[in-house]
Structures are given as structure tokens and as C-alpha cells.
């Protein structure tokens, strides 16, 4: 593999802004101090806060590979921390996403803006499962990635202020379709919108409108907001990615 598959890139574009926002919410809730984990008990503890987790996989720094928890001989698909993450593999089989079905993914080719390619695999996997976000737990030689599956971890709420920053950052990681990135973020929060002529018009909850403008190459150009009350567009839509479970 010398690059991510188109199916993975599209999925990442759809989920990236939602995941980035949830990661910010998780960072506010979960202290990043000295930590411990008991994967058999499915717990991760940091700063006196304990959350329930599952094991997504791990990234090996020297080999530059991602190893899924179900493919790791120390765990396997019947391990308590791995079983909750198996829907990722099932989705990969259904949608033809090789990054989700290949036991060990070679990411030595990756030279993008993320620290390493494993970060993007963890983002996409965490987005598929939803929940409270994911944690990168470093160890000698790499990092294990844990999915937070705990109702005490708060979900990210709607806020129009960080939308342009989230969209810009998400598009920097998954540049395939920024309009899809925004559409999925809006639909995740059930915010009505409509798309036409390179502009996404948004009816802000509580009144007001916003416009996301994209250039002729589909890249995000600017965000314009008007807080004056406005009616909802009649032809609003909430497109998603076929076969991808809703992220709540």
C-alpha cells in the first residue's frame, strides 16, 4: 500500500471534523497525567478519572505499521477490550476499506501533516464507533489507541464558533471533500443546511445564518455568519456516507 484507499479517504473526510471536536471535548474531561490501563477490565485511569475503553490497535514507531487489536496475538478478537471494536472490521468488509480489514497496515509511505499514519487510522476508527473519543497511550516503541466507550464522557455539543477551525484542520488531514466534512458535522448536530453553487447555507439553531464558501476546486475558503434570526431552508438535506453508522 502506497497511500490510503479512496474508500478510507472518503470515510475520513466524512468523520474528521466530528472526531476532532469530540477529541477537544474529551481533553477537557479527561486529565492527561500519569495513567494506567487494565485492558482485561476495559479501564483507563488518568488524573483520578477512570473511563471504560476498548482497544482499537497500536502503531509501531520503528516499523511504521498499524496493528489491529484483533490481529495482535497478545489479544485477539475474543479479548474483552477488542470485541467492542469489531464493528470497524465488519464495516471495512462491507464497504471495501482495506485499512479496516488488513491485520497489519504498512504506513511507512505516510509523510502527511499528522504525526504518523496511525493517527489517521485511529481517527477514522474512532469516528465509526462514535462514543467519547480515543486515547493514544504511549509505550516503549509505539502507541496503543484506545476507544472511550463510557457514558460519563460528555458528547461534543453544537457551537458555530469553532466550525471554520474544525473544518480547516479536518481538511488538512483528510482533504478529499471538505464539503462532505462540513455536511457530516452539521448532520451530526442536526443543524439544517443546503448546498448550492459552491456554498453551504446553514440555518443556525436559535436564529441566524452562516455560509461556508468553497472555491472552484472544492476547497474551504471562508465562513460567514449572521446572527440575525432566519427561517430554515425548505430544501435542507443531511447527506452522509452510505453504509456508515450514524455518529452520536
Amino acid at each position: 500500500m502506497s497511500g490510503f484507499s479512496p474508500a478510507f479517504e472518503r470515510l475520513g473526510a466524512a468523520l474528521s471534523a466530528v472526531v476532532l471536536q469530540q477529541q477537544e471535548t474529551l481533553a477537557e474531561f479527561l486529565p492527561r497525567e500519569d495513567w494506567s490501563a487494565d485492558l482485561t477490565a476495559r479501564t483507563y485511569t488518568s488524573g483520578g478519572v477512570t473511563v471504560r475503553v476498548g482497544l482499537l490497535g497500536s502503531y509501531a514507531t520503528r516499523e511504521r505499521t498499524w496493528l489491529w487489536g484483533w490481529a495482535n496475538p497478545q489479544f485477539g478478537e475474543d479479548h474483552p477490550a477488542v470485541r467492542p471494536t469489531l464493528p470497524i472490521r465488519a464495516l471495512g468488509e462491507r464497504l471495501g476499506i482495506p485499512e479496516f480489514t488488513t491485520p497489519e497496515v504498512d504506513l511507512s509511505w505516510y509523510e502527511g501533516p499528522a504525526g504518523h499514519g496511525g493517527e489517521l487510522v485511529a481517527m477514522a476508527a474512532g469516528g465509526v464507533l462514535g462514543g467519547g473519543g480515543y486515547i493514544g497511550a504511549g509505550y516503549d516503541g509505539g502507541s496503543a489507541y484506545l476507544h472511550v466507550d463510557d457514558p460519563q464522557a460528555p458528547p461534543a455539543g453544537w457551537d458555530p464558533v469553532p466550525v471554520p477551525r474544525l473544518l480547516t484542520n479536518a481538511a488538512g488531514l483528510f482533504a478529499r471533500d471538505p464539503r462532505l466534512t462540513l455536511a457530516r458535522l452539521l448532520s451530526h448536530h442536526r443543524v439544517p443546511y443546503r448546498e448550492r453553487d459552491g456554498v453551504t447555507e446553514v440555518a443556525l439553531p436559535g436564529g441566524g445564518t452562516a455560509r461556508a464558501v468553497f472555491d472552484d476546486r472544492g476547497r474551504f475558503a471562508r465562513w460567514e455568519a449572521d446572527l440575525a434570526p432566519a427561517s430554515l431552508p425548505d430544501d435542507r438535506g443531511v447527506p452522509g456516507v452510505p453504509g456508515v453508522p450514524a455518529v452520536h
Side-chain angles (χ1 to χ4, degrees), residues 11 20 24 28 43 58 84 88 91-92 94 100 130 139 149 155 159 163 177 183 200 214 219 232:
L11 179 73
L20 288 177
E24 293 180 358
E28 295 175 358
T43 60
S58 58
I88 300 168
L91 179 70
R94 188 164 69 249
F100 285 175
Y139 61 85
D149 174 22
D159 183 354
V163 168
D177 190 346
T200 299
F214 300 87
R219 298 173 300 187
L232 302 182

Side-chain angles (χ1 to χ4, degrees), residues 10-195:
R10 180 169 173 78
L11 179 73
L15 298 177
S16 52
V18 174
V19 173
L20 288 177
Q21 186 188 28
Q22 185 59 46
Q23 289 302 108
E24 293 180 358
T25 301
L26 178 63
E28 295 175 358
F29 166 74
L30 185 63
R32 296 309 301 268
E33 301 176 5
D34 291 341
W35 60 272
S36 62
D38 182 340
L39 292 183
T40 300
R42 293 188 59 199
T43 60
Y44 173 93
T45 301
S46 179
V49 178
T50 299
V51 291
R52 184 177 65 195
V53 297
L55 174 63
L56 296 171
S58 58
Y59 179 80
T61 303
R62 187 179 65 181
E63 294 82 359
R64 300 181 70 185
T65 58
W66 170 274
L67 180 65
W68 288 102
W70 50 264
N72 190 322
Q74 297 184 50
F75 300 99
E77 61 184 44
D78 291 327
H79 191 279
V82 173
R83 282 197 298 267
T85 70
L86 294 179
I88 300 168
R89 184 176 65 181
L91 179 70
E93 292 169 349
R94 188 164 69 249
L95 297 184
I97 304 175
E99 291 83 355
F100 285 175
T101 59
T102 302
E104 187 170 14
V105 183
D106 178 13
L107 297 170
S108 60
W109 55 268
Y110 182 78
E111 298 293 343
H116 52 73
E119 287 280 357
L120 300 188
V121 176
M123 281 187 64
V128 168
L129 294 177
Y134 68 90
I135 300 166
Y139 61 85
D140 186 21
S143 295
Y145 285 86
L146 311 175
H147 174 250
V148 179
D149 174 22
D150 194 317
Q152 68 173 312
W158 166 252
D159 183 354
V161 174
V163 168
R165 173 177 55 80
L166 288 170
L167 185 54
T168 298
N169 292 344
L173 297 172
F174 290 96
R176 185 177 182 86
D177 190 346
R179 285 173 291 194
L180 174 61
T181 303
L182 176 60
R184 189 59 184 262
L185 179 66
L186 295 172
S187 63
H188 174 73
H189 291 291
R190 295 180 171 82
V191 176
Y193 67 92
R194 65 182 174 190
E195 298 174 322

